[in-house]
Amino acid sequence: MLAIFKREFCAYFHTMTGYVFLAFLFVVVGVYFTAYNLGYGYPLIGYTLASAAFTMLITTPMLSMRVLAEERRQKVDQLLLTSPVPVYQIVLGKFLAMAAMFAVPVLVFCLYPVILSAYGSLSFAQSYTSLLGFYLMGCACLAIGLYISSVTENQVIAAVGSFGVLVLFYLMSGLESLIPTTAAASFLAFTILLLVICYIIYQLMKSLLVPLAVCAAGEAVLVMIYVADAAVYEGAVQKVMSMFDLSSRFGDFTGAVLDLTSVVYFLTVIAAGVFLTIQSIQKRRWS
Amino acid sequence: MIEVKDLVKSYGGNVAVDHLNVTIEKGKIYGFLGPNGAGKSTTMNIMTGYVASTSGTVIIDGHDILEEPEEAKKNIGYLPEVPPLYMDMSPFEQLMFAAELKKIPKKERQGQVEEAMTRTQIVDVADRLNKHLSKGYRQRVGLAQALLGNPDILILDEPTAGLDPLQIIEIRDLIKRLGKDHTVILSSHILSEVSAVCDYVLIISRGKLVAEDSPERLGSLMGAGQELKVTVKESRNRAESLLRSIPDVKEIRLYTEGWKEEGCCQFLVCAKENADIREAIFFKMAENKVPLLGMERVSKSLEEVFLELTEEESREKEASKHAGNL
């Protein structure tokens, strides 16, 4: 695992990727820092980080796009998968290398509150809470990018795919408000979701029996809940969507609130990304 | 050493490896021979744990590749069809990385890497980038990578593909030397290579093992019975009827008529199993005053055996397809 971690981390500096990544983050966050904190004298860094959060949509796919896709295209994965290292260690090694790479700019940003403290008093606890949130959100984005990189051989598709998914998650709170909260609308949305899931099962299994059974059983449950207590459906789609709402969770941190559920939320996203990546590599070996 | 039992691999409806059974013993050089798409690479990928089989088992030194992958993979050095090299690293960095992956203790790493580089003669290019290396050098770096950790088994997928003739000879010599203290399995579709390097040949066609033996015995095995090229100075019909009158002759084919010398015919005469018909032919011709100009034993080359076996297979397949249509 350590070997893979070292190789991946160094690889960012063998190519331009690492330097471009660092330069981009330093410039954008630096500009906001100069404008808000140094220019207007705003003491908290959370506001700066929240404004600069959009950079993650571009920078994290930069780190994650190559990580598995390119390797598969060049067939270097043959070396890793035939060496006496279990798949989970390969994936973890790669993820930790990305996380370490993302830690580099965050550690530099950790100096910002120190710089600001020279000009007046500020709460270090609040500042570092925001920075922790910034780092966790970055790692969550990297985990999502890691998974997307594992399903394709083309790093451009991996980058665009990760960017698309991250934009969707980033705008999730806005999208939630577009969808009606009535019970009927939610019921309809879940029915459509069920049909999509059944279609995917059908594509995977190529037999009609199981997806039809799942579809019938699922729909029966949905109808029963609707008949029994339609109020359950009110706003239910929004609840599901908010599960993918990364930016409001990040908002907690930049508001200088260290909410344990948000920390757990980001760690869960990271764990899910790593787990799905391991599964997707295993699946490819078996199919 | 390696036991492959009833191995099946299918991609969708396509069967790449079809109930393959192979036993590999220690200390020999094995050759997997087969046309393109015969399932050689797939078999090797399964043996090294890169892909999983649909059914069947691969046991390496008593460790199942799927159940105890780490233990099993420790004994294998693998050079895939395309050498797995990171293009942004130099051969030295690449090998140090591979050595760490293979869990070689830190103290021995540098020494082992240097040894592998000397054996494959890549010391000169150790600090260039992999992406700037030629195909031949990449192949050697891949081979050096497979040698790291001194594995008992080396699996090489078309190790000489894309090399120039000089490099091919060098790599072959290297493989022969390696065969002294490693078990080597290599795949190839080049017959001369397999017969030059390997102690034992496994011919694979359409995912099935169609023949296995030493290269020499495979040649004689297929041409059961003697085959002679006989040149006589006589008309075709008379010569043929004379040859036919010899009791142990099984089959006569005209090779060439009037070729080289006027009034001569050359025949390919097949004897019945284990019969030596050379003397009989000589005396028959002498009795009838037919000048016998030449007689030469023909032994089948591996090439012919290979073609015969793989074509037979496809002909059978054709036949069964037609039978199905009826």
Side-chain angles (χ1 to χ4, degrees), chain A residues 94-230:
Chain A
K94 286 181 179 287
F95 176 73
L96 290 177
M98 294 195 293
M101 188 66 206
F102 196 74
V104 173
V106 173
L107 284 176
V108 173
F109 299 154
C110 283
L111 295 175
Y112 288 177
V114 181
I115 297 170
L116 286 178
S117 69
Y119 301 101
S121 63
L122 73 154
S123 161
F124 279 108
Q126 287 184 352
S127 303
Y128 288 121
T129 301
S130 321
L131 276 164
L132 175 70
F134 190 75
Y135 183 62
L136 283 175
M137 166 127 165
C139 287
C141 292
L142 288 171
I144 293 166
L146 178 73
Y147 171 66
I148 292 170
S149 178
S150 78
V151 294
T152 171
E153 269 184 41
N154 185 324
Q155 49 173 331
V156 176
I157 291 178
V160 174
S162 314
F163 179 71
V165 170
L166 290 179
V167 166
L168 200 68
F169 286 6
Y170 188 75
L171 299 175
M172 201 53 98
S173 54
L175 291 175
E176 277 169 34
S177 61
L178 288 179
I179 291 177
T181 53
T182 60
S186 294
F187 176 73
L188 191 67
F190 282 117
T191 304
I192 292 169
L193 189 67
L194 183 68
L195 287 175
V196 170
I197 290 170
C198 289
Y199 181 72
I200 293 170
I201 296 177
Y202 171 69
Q203 282 299 325
L204 289 176
M205 298 185 62
K206 299 280 175 211
S207 85
L208 269 174
L209 188 69
V210 178
L212 278 180
V214 171
C215 188
E219 193 56 36
V221 171
L222 287 178
V223 170
M224 271 186 327
I225 296 173
Y226 192 76
V227 172
D229 184 8

Side-chain angles (χ1 to χ4, degrees), chain A residues 244-256:
Chain A
F244 299 98
D245 187 0
L246 292 178
S247 50
S248 333
R249 293 284 178 177
F250 176 53
D252 294 347
F253 287 93
T254 53

Side-chain angles (χ1 to χ4, degrees), chain B residues 135-170:
Chain B
K135 174 87 176 85
Y137 272 112
R138 283 184 196 176
Q139 199 79 17
R140 290 192 214 186
V141 178
L143 193 57
Q145 190 164 258
L147 287 174
L148 288 174
N150 228 357
D152 296 336
I153 305 159
L154 284 174
I155 298 184
L156 315 172
D157 198 352
E158 307 211 349
T160 56
L163 304 186
D164 66 41
L166 196 69
Q167 290 170 327
I168 290 181
I169 294 168
E170 279 173 17

